[in-house]
Amino acid sequence: MLLGKHFRRYYAKYALYFLVGVFVLIAVDWIQLDIPKLVGGIIDTLKSTSPNITQIEQSIIRIGVLALFITIGRFLWRYTIFGASRRIEYELRNVMFSHATKLSQSFYSQEKVGGLMTYFINDLEAIRMSFGPGILMLVDGLMLGGFALYRMFNLNSRLTLYAVIPMVFMTIALVFIRKTISKRFKDRQDSFERLSDFTQENFSGITVIKAFVREIKEAILFNDRNMDLYDKNIRFMKYIIIVNILIGIALNIVILVIIVLGSLSVINATSSDLTAGQLTEYLSYFFTLIWPTMALSQFINIQSQARASATRLEKFLNHPLDVKNSEDAYDVSDLKGTLKVDHLTFKYPDGDQPILLDVSFEIHRGEMVGILGRTGSGKSSLVDLFLRTYNLEPGMIYLDGHDIMKLSVKSVRQSMGYVPQDNFLFSDTITNNIGFALESPTKDDVIEPAKLSDVYDNIMEFKDQFETILGERGVTVSGGQKQRISIARALAKDPEILILDDSVSAVDTKTEEAIIKNLHRIRKGRTTIFIAHRISTVKKMDKIILLDQGKVVAIGNHATLMKTSPLYQDMVKRQTLENLVEGGANHEGLQG
Ligand code: ATP
Ligand code: MG
């Protein structure tokens, strides 16, 4: 049994399935052993001087009826036991996915996606095996084996004793081997996880690999990991082979003993010995016994693997959801978008230096605010904190006067529309991408946001227009198109607070102007936060917050900063110069 808290509840939930399944299985095991008895009877009848044909006919009919029962029974236990195991697999997979989506950003910065996939594929499969074939093999092994031994013992106790002794030794050996199987299986899964990480990352970064002509180097690195997996597989398989050989040897010895002693006893028949029919029956039982022995060793194997996988899954499922509602969290459905940052200092969970230092400012409802700063100054980290991607000390960020740590995570995030810096899009239609925040988006819902973010014309040029599938399965869009679709996605949510992280860096200045003009129009009265490198982006905004090395160095509009902030003046000077040098044509050169 798998005793971890995430698994044991399924035994209770599917108890009825398992009980019916096990009951039917035991019944089938018992019934099927009547067949050797009937066959033995037929042989002895045939051997007698005047065989009773009606008796033989009756036996054959009984065998037919038994076979029918066995067939129905096998269907029933498969349906119940295997059916339950598939349902458990399905439910557990949902639990795992839902848990994975709730895990915080810090989890994902440590775990790689490829490795996560092994939980969903290999480990889940090992758990399913334990609930399905595992239970079957345990019950079948014990019951069918027990019944067969019982009948063998009734036929000839001395012979059975000889047959059982090697089996006992073998079982003891198997118990010792079990732990090692589990350990080696875990090693194998870990190695598979590393290989999977590596493969996934390489495919994601395939353009970089090609551009740097790293194909051969990567293939060599892949080979190292692949070789490691091969070694771990071999080490694991060696044990499985040892188990099978042990069983094989034990069985062969026993068969030899039975045949020699059994034949002798038929030849020198006395009243207590076996008849030819009984020896056939006895051997049939013994051959029946082969499967239970195999089943038990398979059970040990399956169970050892499942335990190793259960340990890995427990670790994953028990990983705390560090970003969650506080005990006294409350919902506020109509947040209006006034933000106050109060002496905010923040350090990443795995970092040692604070990357935001004593940051304080206010953003009022309806303002359009630019956050400007050199690369690495902490702009993205700051807006991540608005979205409560990480936990904070209380009293550092207030939303409409509510401490963000006291508001429910859902309230905070529902009030915001976010255009992430990496502009991630799903491999889905443009309609579904832009309408991501909507229940079931239609083209009509997404046309307006697409127009506002100035990507409508581009979309109409695609063959399938709004039905165009993006990403891995479809059209690859340009960096600028990606940014604008991503802006449209946030606009479609029509949020109280809109946050754009460096969202117009890949579009030309004319498009940038058009988008900002649209934003000014539609965002009137609501808060918009615009992270940028370019002065031109933020120049006309109500307020500019200038960050440098995690600190706020100036706040004010363009005119004020031109007077008060040397860093701002410097940035303006440099960007104007770069603009001149490049003839104002290449906006990339303007980045700070
Ligand atoms: P850019 O303009 O290049 O986007 P930025 O101002 O948005 O830069 P941030 O992404 O906020 O800068 O990064 C600020 C600092 O925090 C950097 O030194 C970066 O290395 C660090 N940092 C960012 N993300 C993490 C993370 N998940 N864990 C640890 N440190 C991080
Ligand atoms: Mg950034």
Side-chain angles (χ1 to χ4, degrees), residues 375-376 378-381 421 501-502 531 533:
T375 171
K379 304 180 295 295
S380 299
S381 308
Q421 192 167 14
D501 190 351
D502 209 14
I531 293 182
H533 285 107

Side-chain angles (χ1 to χ4, degrees), residues 256-267:
L256 203 69
V257 171
I258 294 177
I259 291 180
V260 172
L261 294 183
S263 313
L264 283 177
S265 116
V266 173
I267 295 165

Side-chain angles (χ1 to χ4, degrees), residues 103-146:
L103 283 167
S104 69
Q105 213 56 40
S106 10
F107 173 84
Y108 285 98
S109 54
Q110 281 159 15
E111 290 268 337
K112 292 193 187 148
V113 178
L116 265 181
M117 290 314 293
T118 49
Y119 292 150
F120 282 84
I121 301 169
N122 299 13
D123 292 313
L124 196 58
E125 170 71 3
I127 302 290
R128 181 188 68 78
M129 289 290 284
S130 161
F131 278 107
I135 290 184
L136 157 72
M137 284 170 192
L138 177 68
V139 176
D140 226 14
L142 290 180
M143 299 317 285
L144 187 60

Side-chain angles (χ1 to χ4, degrees), residues 486-512:
S486 181
I487 296 176
R489 173 173 63 190
L491 289 180
K493 193 179 173 188
D494 198 24
E496 281 309 317
I497 303 176
L498 176 66
I499 300 173
L500 301 103
D501 190 351
D502 209 14
S503 303
V504 285
S505 58
V507 301
D508 56 54
T509 16
K510 202 168 135 263
T511 314
E512 176 183 355

Side-chain angles (χ1 to χ4, degrees), residues 150-334:
Y150 169 73
R151 292 193 183 211
M152 283 162 73
F153 200 81
N154 276 352
L155 272 179
N156 192 316
S157 49
R158 196 167 49 93
L159 204 52
T160 310
L161 227 53
Y162 289 136
V164 162
I165 292 169
M167 300 279 198
V168 172
F169 279 115
M170 190 186 67
T171 315
I172 296 172
L174 286 179
V175 170
F176 278 107
I177 286 172
R178 206 187 69 168
K179 265 219 162 82
T180 319
I181 296 181
S182 197
K183 161 97 182 47
R184 295 199 170 178
F185 182 74
K186 184 167 178 301
D187 290 347
R188 188 179 90 159
Q189 294 292 75
D190 291 344
S191 174
F192 190 84
E193 184 181 330
R194 285 191 292 275
L195 181 78
S196 175
D197 272 341
F198 185 85
T199 315
Q200 195 268 341
E201 197 159 271
N202 264 267
F203 292 155
S204 302
I206 191 76
T207 33
V208 182
I209 291 174
K210 284 187 195 297
F212 283 76
V213 204
R214 284 276 303 189
E215 291 93 333
I216 294 176
K217 285 255 168 56
E218 291 302 306
I220 292 169
L221 290 175
F222 181 82
N223 179 56
D224 292 346
R225 285 162 181 78
N226 200 8
M227 185 49 101
D228 181 63
L229 180 60
Y230 168 81
D231 286 340
K232 299 277 157 60
N233 262 327
I234 295 289
R235 275 168 58 82
F236 172 68
M237 283 315 293
K238 261 189 203 155
Y239 253 70
I240 301 292
I241 290 169
I242 289 176
V243 171
N244 287 337
I245 290 177
L246 264 177
I247 294 171
I249 292 174
L251 283 179
N252 281 316
I253 294 174
V254 179
I255 291 172
L256 203 69
V257 171
I258 294 177
I259 291 180
V260 172
L261 294 183
S263 313
L264 283 177
S265 116
V266 173
I267 295 165
N268 316 318
T270 62
S271 61
S272 70
D273 283 321
L274 295 169
T275 63
Q278 280 172 330
L279 180 61
T280 319
E281 184 186 340
Y282 191 89
L283 272 173
S284 288
Y285 291 145
F286 184 75
F287 285 120
T288 314
L289 206 56
I290 294 179
W291 158 242
T293 339
M294 291 285 190
L296 281 180
S297 86
Q298 269 297 92
F299 167 74
I300 289 174
N301 189 2
I302 288 176
Q303 204 58 10
S304 317
Q305 298 183 15
R307 287 217 172 145
S309 287
T311 315
R312 284 162 48 87
L313 288 186
E314 285 269 301
K315 197 171 144 240
F316 164 66
L317 288 170
N318 288 338
H319 197 283
L321 304 177
D322 25 331
V323 176
K324 58 175 182 217
N325 291 345
S326 62
E327 303 238 313
D328 49 354
Y330 52 90
D331 284 321
V332 177
S333 57
D334 57 342

